[in-house]
Amino acid sequence: MMKKTAISLACAAVAAVGISSTAMAGGWETDRAGGFSSVYTYTPDDVSPVGEGRSLMIVLHGCTQPINNYKTANLDKVAEEWGMVVAVPDAANKAGFSCWSYWQGTKSRSSGDYKNVINLAKEYIADPAKDIDPNQVYVAGLSSGGAFAMTVGCLAPDVFAGMGLDAAPSAGTSSSGAMGPKESTVSQTAQRCKSYAGSYASEFDTQITNTAYGTSDSTVNTGYGLQNASAMASIYGVDKLSGTNSIESKAKETLWDGPDGTNQVSMLELSGVSHAWPGGSGARGSYIDGSNINYGMYLAEYFANNNLRIDRIVDEYAPAISGLTVTPSEDKTSVSVEATVEAAADTTLTAVTVIIDGEEFESPLDGYVSIETGISGDDHKVEIIADSVDAEGNPHQTIKKKSFSTKEDTETGNGTGLDLGLGSLPGMGSLPGLGSLPGMGSLPGMGSGIGTGIGTGTGTSVSSSWCSMMPWMSWMCN
């Protein structure tokens, strides 16, 4: 039986601050902080619906991926809807191909970009203008950025209340392990993470983790998604729940148990996504996917609903709303909303109201919500309000919300450019047999030197499709 958190306080706070997913009051700014010379930061006007002040999510880019790509990944919508400061730093100590150097150097809170990421979080927490709740600080990343996020989350579980690991090799693996067969085991990954934490290991008790991977990712082994989730679950001491949840019919969610009705670990299997950060409809850019869910939005909701460090009053008599699924029709003119509503012990359901784009529907009190109605436009909101009373007549309420879009994907990005001049790559001209590979002369950007080796090539880009056609060159691709 799958379990999802139902926290009425969070929903009440959302209503109180009047968060709107369409009003973009903040804006992207370029900052220098934490030891990074360039950080794109979005600070919303509103605060988090839970805790005190705003939350903070630091997002780490993938290899060869410019950080400005995240400005078109719908993270502004995430920031505004969830009162979350989003910070995207450009790695200061890059490995080859602008990767975060998770496989190089000393893994320490006081070294390299590990120190910088931690310092970035601490500087922003100390900034009164950002009003960040130190109990709501998260780190996430794609690919090498995901592996680095996992490493820094293991090094500093006291700083980071949660991690979001997208297409991420496990912390402590090698660069070749990202591209080839999966390295390490669940137990080895867990032990490595705990060793990084050292004296801070007790902070894992209140840390949460999501992992995600695309089913069409041919760059990083998709097995790392389950390995990383299982390793963190082992550290946290929680068990995987049976079954899965469908999210917008595009992603499959697996959950692990947690204290006080939370899910301390979750994993997303993203249907049809290649090696990319999913930004939802309209998202675009190199290694940014626009065909699936908004991963940042999922993380913000998961973090807010399951954060174990904030003080919240959980109404044990409030109804539980679970399995909320929203399925638009193929022609996007109607939507089906389904969910399960359960009354708490010694209480009785009195009303279940479904609100779709402002229109109210009363649902039967049989515990099952199934509403279908017409819709128009691109951006939509669903809200379920469940009311109950206890034996003494006291009212209790739970509210669950979900946003979705039916906008046509006119431009999506799954990684179209590796911005490198192949002629500058050392030693490429000596690779045996390159001149004999059929059809190489027609590859765009490879230059005239391909017949004798790539050492004299003048090209400027290698497309992701070219990378997938040439597995022996996969180390060049994100």
Side-chain angles (χ1 to χ4, degrees):
M1 178 71 178
M2 295 300 288
K3 177 176 64 179
K4 299 200 79 170
T5 309
I7 299 173
S8 56
L9 180 67
C11 302
V14 170
V17 299
I19 292 176
S20 169
S21 62
T22 57
M24 297 301 173
W28 287 103
E29 296 178 341
T30 303
D31 197 6
R32 295 172 61 94
F36 296 109
S37 60
S38 182
V39 183
Y40 284 142
T41 304
Y42 192 103
T43 304
D45 280 351
D46 288 317
V47 297
S48 170
V50 296
E52 301 291 336
R54 299 183 178 94
S55 58
L56 168 66
M57 181 165 68
I58 298 174
V59 179
L60 308 184
H61 62 80
C63 300
T64 77
Q65 187 183 39
I67 60 173
N68 63 4
N69 288 0
Y70 286 89
K71 294 169 71 175
T72 54
N74 288 327
L75 288 174
D76 50 350
K77 295 180 180 179
V78 176
E80 292 293 347
E81 184 147 339
W82 289 95
M84 171 180 277
V85 176
V86 177
V88 188
D90 193 20
N93 301 286
K94 296 176 180 176
F97 305 102
S98 300
C99 297
W100 290 86
S101 54
Y102 70 92
W103 67 88
Q104 297 176 344
T106 302
K107 293 174 176 59
S108 164
R109 295 167 65 106
S110 60
S111 65
D113 278 338
Y114 301 116
K115 176 182 69 176
N116 292 341
V117 173
I118 294 170
N119 284 346
L120 174 61
K122 290 182 175 180
E123 284 186 31
Y124 277 14
I125 290 170
D127 182 354
K130 290 185 171 56
D131 188 24
I132 290 172
D133 182 349
N135 290 319
Q136 295 189 73
V137 177
Y138 313 105
V139 62
L142 165 67
S143 191
S144 68
F148 203 91
M150 184 177 189
T151 307
V152 78
C154 291
L155 285 167
D158 57 316
V159 176
F160 298 103
M163 300 185 286
L165 315 176
D166 178 26
S170 296
T173 54
S174 69
S175 58
S176 59
M179 304 295 183
K182 181 170 61 68
E183 289 184 350
S184 301
T185 63
V186 169
S187 60
Q188 289 170 336
T189 303
Q191 184 56 44
R192 194 179 291 133
C193 180
K194 287 190 290 186
S195 71
Y196 294 161
S199 61
Y200 296 94
S202 63
E203 302 291 342
F204 285 130
D205 291 346
T206 55
Q207 189 186 65
I208 62 179
T209 295
N210 164 266
T211 71
Y213 65 90
T215 60
S216 298
D217 190 342
S218 59
T219 303
V220 168
N221 193 305
T222 57
Y224 283 120
L226 180 57
Q227 176 164 289
N228 291 339
S230 299
M232 298 314 299
S234 173
I235 293 172
Y236 301 155
V238 295
D239 297 322
K240 186 167 71 169
L241 302 175
S242 61
T244 59
N245 297 314
S246 175
I247 301 178
E248 299 179 26
S249 300
K250 296 179 178 180
K252 185 167 67 176
E253 179 190 51
T254 302
L255 296 171
W256 281 253
D257 210 343
D260 300 323
T262 60
N263 299 114
Q264 202 164 356
V265 177
S266 75
M267 180 179 71
L268 293 180
E269 180 182 298
L270 303 157
S271 178
V273 174
S274 61
H275 193 63
W277 174 281
S281 179
R284 63 190 185 276
S286 177
Y287 300 107
I288 301 295
D289 174 81
S291 67
N292 208 279
I293 67 170
N294 184 332
Y295 180 52
M297 196 74 76
Y298 172 87
L299 285 178
E301 181 177 6
Y302 170 72
F303 289 151
N305 283 348
N306 296 281
N307 184 301
L308 295 172
R309 298 183 180 179
I310 56 176
D311 291 327
R312 64 169 111 228
I313 301 172
V314 179
D315 183 356
E316 62 181 313
Y317 293 106
I321 302 174
S322 61
L324 173 57
T325 60
V326 177
T327 308
S329 61
E330 289 189 8
D331 61 4
K332 298 179 175 55
T333 61
S334 65
V335 65
S336 173
V337 176
E338 296 183 350
T340 300
V341 181
E342 296 178 276
D346 301 321
T347 68
T348 303
L349 282 176
T350 57
V352 176
T353 305
V354 181
I355 304 174
I356 303 174
D357 292 343
E359 184 178 0
E360 292 191 9
F361 303 85
E362 293 299 322
S363 181
L365 302 180
D366 58 3
Y368 185 67
V369 172
S370 181
I371 301 290
E372 185 171 351
T373 187
I375 55 174
S376 61
D378 295 328
D379 297 312
H380 310 275
K381 285 190 174 183
V382 173
E383 183 175 350
I384 298 180
I385 304 172
D387 292 289
S388 65
V389 294
D390 59 30
E392 298 178 357
N394 298 312
H396 304 273
Q397 185 180 81
T398 297
I399 302 174
K400 199 168 188 70
K401 299 181 179 183
K402 182 180 286 289
S403 300
F404 68 100
S405 176
T406 54
K407 186 181 299 181
E408 293 290 343
D409 298 324
T410 57
E411 183 176 7
T412 62
N414 284 317
T416 57
L418 177 58
D419 298 324
L420 297 167
L422 288 181
S424 65
L425 292 174
M428 291 298 287
S430 64
L431 287 173
L434 283 180
S436 63
L437 285 173
M440 292 295 284
S442 64
L443 287 171
M446 291 301 287
S448 61
I450 195 66
T452 57
I454 311 180
T456 58
T458 58
T460 58
S461 69
V462 179
S463 71
S464 59
S465 59
W466 182 85
C467 291
S468 64
M469 289 177 358
M470 301 294 173
W472 51 270
M473 293 289 282
S474 63
W475 58 273
M476 293 176 56
C477 310
N478 187 15

